[in-house]
């Protein structure tokens, strides 16, 4: 029986912690990394913690040789990304890099009322530093790039974004993915996807912020202080490729049902 390679999460923030928890549930040989593991990884058992800092080459050797890696932070600056990859990204280890759908942002493009659907064949903006890093990792080290939509979930609640006035009732389309689905897709991509390929990650149902705000107002009486704005049209992201290639069914396909659950769990219990 082949012993599975170690899996290291590079950067254990919000998404990284969900990946870690899921990997533990699946009994995978998972390690979590941080620049300050004793401070930021107190909920991770000490034997599974690694001190890693992309800016400090002296920390790179803490990673197990030939480990599988899930890179969760922006792949910048390019020179540091290249140096680390040459040091640590070697076969048979596989590499998943979390990018962003902002790679598809257009400079000076038309403001369409109904923007076209975007799949993985759509041009990307290679002037963006993180896109340059991702493309280097993809073309030189076989990284699988996940272009991830807006991440939401427990403790990252769109209802709170509206309540705080961070977003408002604009006509801009937003693409979202629940963090639990993202964690599952990260692990499945590592196991099943094609090296050097790119995948969009969203729930496949882009919505206008105006519609989300209206629904949130109707359900919870939460209204944003921001005014309506038609200056941006946003994007509509297709997710068919990744779901098909890794054989996954979303656990949270219904955005408003997920919000209902998040809101219910975030409310303090009623004391009788």
């Amino acid at each position: 029986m082949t012993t599975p390679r170690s899996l290291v999460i590079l950067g254990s923030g919000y998404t990284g912690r969900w990946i870690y928890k899921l990997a533990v549930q699946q009994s995978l040989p998972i390690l979590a990394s941080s620049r300050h593991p004793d401070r930021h990884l107190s909920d991770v058992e000490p034997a599974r913690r690694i001190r890693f800092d992309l800016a400090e080459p002296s920390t790179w050797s803490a990673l197990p040789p030939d480990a599988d890696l899930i890179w969760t932070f922006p792949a910048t600056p390019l020179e540091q990304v290249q140096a680390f990859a040459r040091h640590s990204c070697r076969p048979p280890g596989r590499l998943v890099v979390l990018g962003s759908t902002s790679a598809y942002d257009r400079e000076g493009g038309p403001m369409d009322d109904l923007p076209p659907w975007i799949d993985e064949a759509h041009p990307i903006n290679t002037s963006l530093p993180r896109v340059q890093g991702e493309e280097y990792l993809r073309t030189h080290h076989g990284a699988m790039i996940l272009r991830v939509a807006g991440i939401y979930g427990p403790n990252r609640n769109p209802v709170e974004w509206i309540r705080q006035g961070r977003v408002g009732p604009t006509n801009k389309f937003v693409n979202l993915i629940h963090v639990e689905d993202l964690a599952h897709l990260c692990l499945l991509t590592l196991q099943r996807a094609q090296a050097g390929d790119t995948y969009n990650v969203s729930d496949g149902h882009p919505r206008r912020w105006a519609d989300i705000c209206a629904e949130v107002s109707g359900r919870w009486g939460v209204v944003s202080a921001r005014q309506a704005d038609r200056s941006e049209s946003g994007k509509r992201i297709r997710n068919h490729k990744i779901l098909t290639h890794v054989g996954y069914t979303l656990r949270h396909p219904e955005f408003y049902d997920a919000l209902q659950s998040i809101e219910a769990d975030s409310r303090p219990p009623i004391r009788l």
Side-chain angles (χ1 to χ4, degrees):
M1 183 176 179
T2 303
T3 302
R5 289 187 299 274
S6 295
L7 167 58
V8 181
I9 302 171
L10 300 181
S12 300
Y14 181 70
T15 299
R17 289 175 181 276
W18 277 81
I19 299 170
Y20 175 83
K21 180 171 65 174
L22 180 60
V24 169
Q25 292 172 359
Q26 296 181 1
S27 300
L28 298 176
I30 183 72
L31 300 169
S33 75
S34 170
R35 289 177 292 182
H36 305 285
D38 293 338
R39 187 189 313 167
H40 298 305
L41 300 178
S42 58
D43 54 339
V44 174
E45 60 183 271
R48 293 180 184 264
R49 303 176 194 168
I50 292 179
R51 180 172 181 267
F52 167 78
D53 187 340
L54 183 65
E56 292 188 34
S58 62
T59 68
W60 299 351
S61 297
L63 275 61
D66 305 332
D68 291 335
L69 306 175
I70 299 180
W71 186 314
T72 67
F73 55 90
T76 61
L78 180 59
E79 296 78 10
Q80 206 76 60
V81 169
Q82 292 170 330
F84 169 73
R86 289 192 293 266
H87 180 275
S88 299
C89 300
R90 299 183 298 267
R94 284 162 64 83
L95 173 62
V96 170
V97 177
L98 271 62
S100 168
T101 57
S102 63
Y104 299 117
D105 284 354
R106 299 169 295 175
E107 295 185 354
M111 296 299 174
D112 303 322
D113 182 61
L114 191 62
W117 284 97
I118 291 177
D119 63 16
E120 291 79 359
H122 194 85
I124 56 175
N125 185 352
T126 55
S127 70
L128 299 175
R130 72 177 297 167
V131 174
Q132 294 171 7
E134 293 161 10
E135 284 300 288
Y136 169 80
L137 294 170
R138 185 183 68 81
T139 57
H140 289 79
H141 297 276
M144 294 159 281
I145 309 299
L146 302 186
R147 303 214 185 280
V148 183
I151 304 166
Y152 76 99
N155 301 313
R156 189 174 284 194
N157 183 356
V159 176
E160 285 300 313
W161 304 346
I162 296 170
R163 183 179 282 118
Q164 296 165 6
R166 293 167 56 190
V167 295
T170 71
N171 276 336
K172 181 180 180 179
F173 278 96
V174 62
N175 302 269
L176 296 163
I177 185 70
H178 193 287
V179 66
E180 183 180 6
D181 283 316
L182 175 56
H184 278 277
L185 286 167
C186 285
L187 294 180
L188 287 172
T189 297
L190 199 62
Q191 298 161 10
R192 302 178 182 177
Q194 179 69 41
D197 215 341
T198 300
Y199 301 90
N200 291 338
V201 179
S202 79
D203 65 12
H205 297 285
R207 300 168 179 84
R208 295 185 192 272
W209 274 119
D211 296 332
I212 295 175
C213 286
E215 186 72 22
V216 167
S217 175
R219 292 191 184 213
W220 298 289
V222 175
V223 178
S224 174
R226 290 203 175 191
Q227 300 299 311
D229 182 2
R230 294 183 59 86
S231 64
E232 293 184 82
S233 58
K235 300 182 289 289
R236 295 192 298 163
I237 302 295
R238 289 195 187 278
N239 68 349
H240 177 76
K241 180 179 175 181
I242 190 166
L243 300 183
T244 302
H245 281 210
V246 306
Y248 182 70
T249 300
L250 292 171
R251 284 164 168 72
H252 301 278
E254 299 297 333
F255 174 63
Y256 295 117
D257 289 349
L259 281 191
Q260 187 78 43
S261 177
I262 294 168
E263 273 290 289
D265 290 343
S266 65
R267 293 174 187 167
I270 298 175
R271 296 184 179 183
L272 301 177

